[in-house]
Amino acid sequence: MRQLYVNGVWLSSTSGEGVDVVNPTTEEIIDRVPAGSSADVEPAVAAARAAFPSWSRTAPVERGKLLAAAAGLLRERAEEIARTITTDLGAPYPVALQVQTLMPAGVLESYARLAEEYDFDRGRVGDSLVVKEPVGVVGAITPWNYPLHQVICKVAPALAAGCTVVLKPSEVAPLAAYALADIFHEVGLPPGVFNMVSGRGPVVGEALVTHPHVDMVSFTGSTRAGRQVAALAAETVKRVALELGGKSANLILPDADLAAAVKVGVANAFLNSGQTCSAWTRMLVHWDQYDEAVRLAVEAGRKYTVGDPFAEGTRLGPLVSAAQRDRVIRYINRGQEEGARLVLGGTDAPLERGYYVEPTIFAGVAPGMTIEQEEIFGPVLAIVPFGSEDEAVQIADGTPYGLSGAVWAGTEERALAVARRLRTGQVAVNGGRFNPLAPFGGYKQSGIGRELGEAGLEEYLETKAILL
């Protein structure tokens, strides 16, 4: 069984218990990680607290150099780490390499640069000097769907800011986090600056959130769990950053390039087998083009070959676990029960082994249906008709979420005008690509705070006014 990483060394958990890591393609146990205890959190937090004074006073340029070295090692090991992610998550290998590994390497590099370039002294306001200082010890709790990217989105800016970190990675797909811990150790990150305690959320996560010596918690996961994190953190009035669920709309206006909008929309909805919080899982199309959009979506969806994620040509790997597969199947059944029309996929198991769900598309979806309102987290797309631009905006904003989305129109000017109306944290205009330097985060129940870029760095900084 693997160990915990605390104060620069690998240690056994006091619990003596473990969690099996299962390959979702083969359903075989491939590894075992500690089911950490609340007692394991104590030395990790103590190590982070002890390391904070020195690390926070380390020159930002020196912090940046260590992060740059880590990014270099991550790139060197990208293929190996991508294979690990494919094995314990099920993402097709090209996705695991480009999206799950190389993109996080780029994010880590961006924070290496920001550490060197960011102006922590913000200048004078009247007779006062305004400075930015690290918030302190950060508890980072990350999910399984992007098991390296989500870790780096928290750990990199926290370290760049001068904070120290205790990470609790998801126990479902934890192996990429172990690879990152090895890299931080090899580049010489000082002991206690980065610590990792694996385990379950209700035990290790709760111990971090409630610990009086943890100054901030950054959590990515479900909205339900995020509410619990916020409530528990309120007891010690610590800062909380939450990146939660989504039910994002891909809004296609009548003058848009319909074929392009549908093709890109289907790809976005099915990326990572639909296990993406920012996926455009609702496609909004004008009544006049609705039937054609459904036809194009089904045509595109049929090209998402289900299979071994290491096999050439596979575009849809398994879901991460049996529990996740069963959850998605329940939603597909619910969609049919509520009267939506299944036009692709369904509940049949596409392969004899593995936690697979077929690429699934629903037509005839009305606002308010369960599959239109709730995050499914699987390869399920709902196509919703609208009659006017105002109605489309109303439908797009008509869920508790506001994380991402897209607008397609005949001109960028028109698409941008509609994008400005949407209550969501990120909007792609006419196929605008994901930008790992732009702020990422949600409105409404999709979260609090932002990750990535300068905004992500500032989540981990306090503002101090020095009166002269």
Side-chain angles (χ1 to χ4, degrees):
M1 184 163 66
R2 294 189 181 235
Q3 295 180 301
L4 314 176
Y5 185 73
V6 177
N7 205 27
V9 297
W10 292 99
L11 301 173
S12 297
S13 169
T14 61
S15 75
E17 299 178 1
V19 180
D20 291 336
V21 180
V22 177
N23 181 333
T25 303
T26 65
E27 305 183 30
E28 296 171 343
I29 296 171
I30 56 170
D31 212 326
R32 191 167 171 83
V33 298
S37 67
S38 58
D40 293 325
V41 172
E42 289 295 332
V45 173
R49 175 61 62 188
F52 175 69
S54 176
W55 181 249
S56 64
R57 292 193 299 268
T58 299
V61 65
E62 296 303 318
R63 298 198 295 258
K65 286 178 180 177
L66 284 169
L67 294 180
L73 271 184
L74 179 53
R75 286 199 179 275
E76 286 179 21
R77 300 175 186 177
E79 293 184 358
E80 174 189 348
I81 293 173
R83 285 193 292 271
T84 296
I85 292 172
T86 293
T87 301
D88 75 347
L89 174 65
Y93 178 73
V95 173
L97 179 61
Q98 295 298 325
V99 178
Q100 297 270 12
T101 307
L102 292 176
M103 184 174 73
V107 171
L108 188 52
E109 288 165 346
S110 76
Y111 281 112
R113 291 191 298 270
L114 262 177
E116 299 181 20
E117 298 170 359
Y118 186 82
D119 185 5
F120 291 88
D121 290 334
R122 309 305 284 178
R124 287 178 175 264
V125 176
D127 292 333
S128 300
L129 180 65
V130 179
V131 298
K132 293 283 190 178
E133 297 179 343
V135 70
V137 175
V138 173
I141 303 173
T142 57
W144 47 260
N145 62 323
Y146 287 85
L148 179 62
H149 177 68
Q150 295 287 4
V151 169
I152 285 178
C153 282
K154 299 181 188 307
V155 173
L159 297 182
C163 298
T164 54
V165 176
V166 180
L167 168 69
K168 191 210 86 67
S170 170
E171 71 279 13
V172 177
L175 302 183
Y178 276 83
L180 183 64
D182 284 335
I183 286 173
F184 282 148
H185 185 82
E186 288 186 38
V187 300
L189 205 62
V193 171
F194 171 82
N195 309 272
M196 185 176 71
V197 180
S198 63
R200 297 182 174 90
V203 179
V204 175
E206 186 167 326
L208 272 177
V209 173
T210 58
H211 201 292
H213 293 155
V214 172
D215 300 291
M216 174 181 173
V217 172
S218 181
F219 170 83
T220 297
S222 71
T223 297
R224 177 191 55 78
R227 293 190 194 101
Q228 180 73 359
V229 167
L232 291 171
E235 294 297 321
T236 46
V237 199
K238 55 171 55 76
R239 183 183 293 190
V240 175
L242 304 173
E243 201 271 280
L244 308 176
K247 193 67 181 178
S248 301
N250 180 22
L251 198 167
I252 306 173
L253 294 170
D255 60 343
D257 183 337
L258 183 65
V262 170
K263 181 180 179 181
V264 174
V266 169
N268 184 283
F270 291 166
L271 176 67
N272 207 40
S273 295
Q275 299 170 128
T276 303
C277 57
S278 57
W280 308 338
T281 52
R282 295 179 297 149
M283 183 178 291
L284 278 52
V285 185
H286 193 275
W287 275 112
D288 291 346
Q289 299 171 305
Y290 190 78
D291 290 344
E292 177 64 7
V294 170
R295 185 191 70 78
L296 289 168
V298 170
E299 182 180 287
R302 286 194 175 119
K303 296 176 182 177
Y304 281 77
T305 306
V306 174
D308 182 339
F310 281 108
E312 188 174 348
T314 294
R315 298 184 69 183
L316 210 64
L319 299 184
V320 73
S321 65
Q324 187 63 21
R325 176 199 58 197
D326 294 346
R327 165 190 165 91
V328 173
I329 293 300
R330 286 195 296 271
Y331 272 109
I332 294 172
N333 287 330
R334 185 70 176 272
Q336 293 175 286
E337 290 165 5
E338 293 185 0
R341 181 163 49 95
L342 189 65
V343 293
L344 183 69
T347 58
D348 293 338
L351 297 174
E352 291 184 3
R353 188 171 60 171
Y355 308 131
Y356 290 92
V357 173
E358 293 181 290
T360 299
I361 297 175
F362 280 100
V365 179
M369 285 184 176
T370 301
I371 60 169
E372 193 269 338
Q373 287 285 305
E374 297 184 12
E375 185 175 47
I376 297 172
F377 232 55
V380 181
L381 174 64
I383 308 181
V384 186
F386 67 84
S388 68
E389 183 178 299
D390 287 344
E391 183 186 9
V393 170
Q394 183 179 13
I395 294 170
D397 285 342
T399 77
Y401 301 107
L403 185 57
S404 187
V407 178
W408 298 77
T411 65
E412 182 177 298
E413 182 181 15
R414 185 183 181 197
L416 185 58
V418 174
R420 290 181 180 276
R421 297 178 63 186
L422 299 180
R423 297 282 296 165
T424 189
Q426 192 169 87
V427 188
V429 165
N430 284 346
R433 297 175 66 86
F434 179 74
N435 179 3
L437 300 179
F440 180 83
Y443 287 26
K444 301 187 286 184
Q445 292 187 33
S446 283
I448 299 169
R450 293 295 180 268
E451 293 186 328
L452 299 175
E454 189 170 298
L457 177 71
E458 291 178 342
E459 287 291 330
Y460 299 91
L461 295 172
E462 293 278 21
T463 302
K464 176 183 284 184
I466 301 175
L467 312 181
L468 303 174

